[in-house]
Amino acid sequence: MTTTEPNRWTDRRSDAVSARKEAYEQLRRASTWRLLAATKAPAVLAILQSVFPAGDRRLPRSELVARVGAHLALLHDEDPAPADAADATDGDDDGAESRGGRSAADYVDGWVREGYLTRRDDPQRTETTFEPSPATIDAIQFIASLEEHRPTTTESRLTLVVQQFERLAHETETDRDVRLADLQRQRERVEAQIRELAEGELMLPSEEASTDRLRDILQIASELSGDFLQYREDLRAVDLHLREQILSPETSRGEILEQLLAGDDLLGQSSVGRTFTAFFRMLNDPGQTRTAQELVDRLLERDFARSLSRDERERLANVFSDLYDPAQEVLDVKTELYRSLARFVRSQDFRQHRVLLEALQEAQGVALAQKDEVATRTPFPLELDLSRVQLSSVSQHRLKDPTDPGAPAEAEVHDATALSVEVLADLVRANDIDLVGLTGHVNDVRGRSGQASIGDVLREQPAQQGLASVIGLMFLATSHAQEREGSTEIITWQELDGNVYAAKVPSFYFLDDVPVE
């Protein structure tokens, strides 16, 4: 061997290490790594596990904020000291958290931005819902594996691997003689087992080995929950990639448009689509599902199954029913994405998007051409009257009627009606009212003066959500305050548009602290 060969080997080894380091740098930016490396990772993971127990895969915003608010002290107690710059850019936004005073809603919004939670706008729900992201599921499963200290190099797992290798090798064998010989050997083994059993020899694996195999199967089944979330994200990524191909002039968009117009399901034909379709078809096969459930019921009656914990037994009994709901959700997402993509093509909306994209690319080209000629600090002759947009509901705008001569309409007078607790609860759920923050305001004001009315609270703690805060205070009052019969009070608050409003409400007095729910 010449002296240059070891040097080449060393260079290749160095290049491989550098490439691996670069790949890890990319993974370090992923949500899973950032969550595990965050300063408050223990508190965040513990809270998310408590907020989303088994069976609660999706929560409305108000309920999620309330559940996080019940553990807010854990996050505040772990505020780090600004010792170095690393804490200021931590994965859970520790730089902002170290200033203290963040509400549960702030943490929820931050976790969405960091990729720990996924926001879903469900048309069948009046409120935005949230669920753990695939990154969070992966992080929780990784921490759980460290906590359980169960080795993965068990005999049962090796047996599963060997069996799958043997099955795949047999099913893909093209030589008919070899395949026939394999079947004959299998028949001989089965006949030998039949003879031994007929002669009274009943050989059973040890209880420990059977329990290990059962727990390995349960572990594989539990990992599927995170796969369902990843399926949805992968399908959305495929949908986005198809839309980008339709708009991009550098790809074979004509072929893609032709396939979509012909009704081809390009989402289902993708790699992730084919994998999920095969899984869902097997899960919904009545014969296979019935047979598998009968096998599970038989296993639960075995003596070695008694060594399983109660939680493990419940997971084993519901292993297939727990898979159906999230699988159906993935199918619904796939169907809606397919319909949306088909509408995008058939309605010719993609042409408008393409014109807009070309205009943006042209503007970007002009800007790049001027970047070396115009200094970055050169004053730009353009004045902006507003630095932010004032958002309001569409229902607040009244359209102009061309047939209206302009005569003022008579003011409508409505009789005052009492709001029930049920109506107030519905308003709270539908408007994302911050009950946790309002509870703190009530307790602060009552703690200083001994008692507090709704007007007292609004005078010392302005309504941050406008009318929504007033509704939230009315809801808390109906449940935790004492009403003074026949008495009313005038309350005032400032709406988000800057206007001041007043209302007459029944007199309620908070005499005790409102519990944080």
Side-chain angles (χ1 to χ4, degrees), residues 198-213:
E199 295 173 358
E201 296 184 11
L202 184 60
M203 301 297 295
L204 295 176
S206 65
E207 182 175 331
E208 292 79 8
S210 300
T211 305
D212 286 341
R213 294 180 65 180

Side-chain angles (χ1 to χ4, degrees), residues 168-185:
L168 182 60
H170 173 72
E171 293 178 350
T172 58
E173 179 59 58
T174 58
D175 190 327
R176 180 176 300 181
D177 294 335
V178 174
R179 192 165 186 173
L180 183 60
D182 289 340
L183 290 175
Q184 290 174 345
R185 282 193 294 269

Side-chain angles (χ1 to χ4, degrees), residues 286-408:
Q288 288 188 342
T289 303
R290 189 186 314 110
T291 302
Q293 189 61 49
E294 291 175 355
L295 293 174
V296 170
D297 295 339
R298 289 167 57 186
L299 287 174
L300 286 171
E301 297 175 357
R302 300 287 191 265
D303 292 337
F304 68 85
R306 298 175 183 173
S307 60
L308 299 176
S309 65
R310 180 178 179 181
D311 178 66
E312 289 173 331
R313 291 179 62 85
E314 290 179 355
R315 286 164 49 199
L316 179 61
N318 303 320
V319 63
F320 294 106
S321 59
D322 289 343
L323 293 177
Y324 183 79
D325 288 341
Q328 184 63 47
E329 290 181 2
V330 177
L331 181 63
D332 293 341
V333 169
K334 176 179 174 294
T335 303
E336 180 58 32
L337 289 176
Y338 168 72
R339 292 173 179 173
S340 175
L341 188 60
R343 288 194 300 266
F344 179 70
V345 173
R346 292 187 179 128
S347 64
Q348 303 294 316
D349 286 348
F350 70 92
R351 298 184 183 276
Q352 301 177 10
H353 287 257
R354 189 180 298 167
V355 171
L356 180 59
L357 178 62
E358 291 174 355
L360 290 173
Q361 290 175 343
E362 181 181 357
Q364 185 180 23
V366 173
L368 291 175
Q370 298 295 322
K371 68 181 181 65
D372 296 331
E373 301 180 10
V374 180
T376 56
R377 297 183 179 274
T378 301
F380 195 70
L382 177 65
E383 295 183 1
L384 298 177
D385 297 331
L386 292 176
S387 59
R388 60 182 179 178
V389 179
Q390 182 77 28
L391 300 179
S392 60
S393 173
V394 177
S395 62
Q396 296 178 359
H397 300 280
R398 186 179 297 275
L399 298 178
K400 177 177 176 57
D401 185 359
T403 63
D404 186 1

Side-chain angles (χ1 to χ4, degrees), residues 33-42 44 90-94 116:
W33 193 315
R34 288 189 289 109
L35 174 56
L36 292 172
T39 303
K40 297 183 183 178
V44 175
D90 204 341
D92 54 355
D93 196 16
D94 287 332
Y116 307 158

Side-chain angles (χ1 to χ4, degrees), residues 206-281:
S206 65
E207 182 175 331
E208 292 79 8
S210 300
T211 305
D212 286 341
R213 294 180 65 180
L214 195 55
R215 281 178 172 150
D216 287 336
I217 297 172
L218 281 176
Q219 178 64 28
I220 295 173
S222 65
E223 292 173 355
L224 293 176
S225 60
D227 292 341
F228 285 123
L229 297 176
Q230 192 62 52
Y231 267 133
R232 298 211 303 254
E233 298 302 321
D234 291 344
L235 285 172
R236 288 189 171 90
V238 173
D239 175 71
L240 179 61
H241 179 65
L242 289 174
R243 293 174 186 265
E244 290 176 348
Q245 286 183 300
I246 293 173
L247 297 178
S248 176
E250 301 176 358
T251 58
S252 55
R253 63 187 182 194
E255 181 181 351
I256 295 176
L257 288 174
E258 183 178 350
Q259 290 177 313
L260 290 173
L261 290 173
D264 292 348
D265 184 8
L266 297 185
L267 285 171
Q269 296 173 10
S270 64
S271 176
V272 59
R274 291 194 303 270
T275 303
F276 172 74
T277 300
F279 173 85
F280 191 78
R281 186 183 297 113

Side-chain angles (χ1 to χ4, degrees), residues 128-165:
T128 302
T129 58
F130 297 81
E131 62 187 0
S133 67
T136 298
I137 297 296
D138 291 341
I140 290 176
Q141 290 179 346
F142 175 73
I143 295 299
S145 67
L146 297 180
E147 186 178 18
E148 292 176 359
H149 294 293
R150 288 190 64 240
T152 58
T153 54
T154 60
E155 179 187 359
S156 62
R157 291 209 170 190
L158 182 59
T159 302
L160 289 174
V161 171
V162 173
Q163 289 175 348
Q164 292 302 316
F165 278 145

Side-chain angles (χ1 to χ4, degrees), residues 43-44 47-48 68 75 92 97 106-117:
V44 175
I47 291 174
L48 290 177
V68 174
L75 296 167
D92 54 355
E97 293 167 4
D106 294 333
Y107 281 105
V108 169
D109 294 337
W111 293 343
V112 172
R113 291 191 300 269
E114 292 294 335
Y116 307 158
L117 295 175

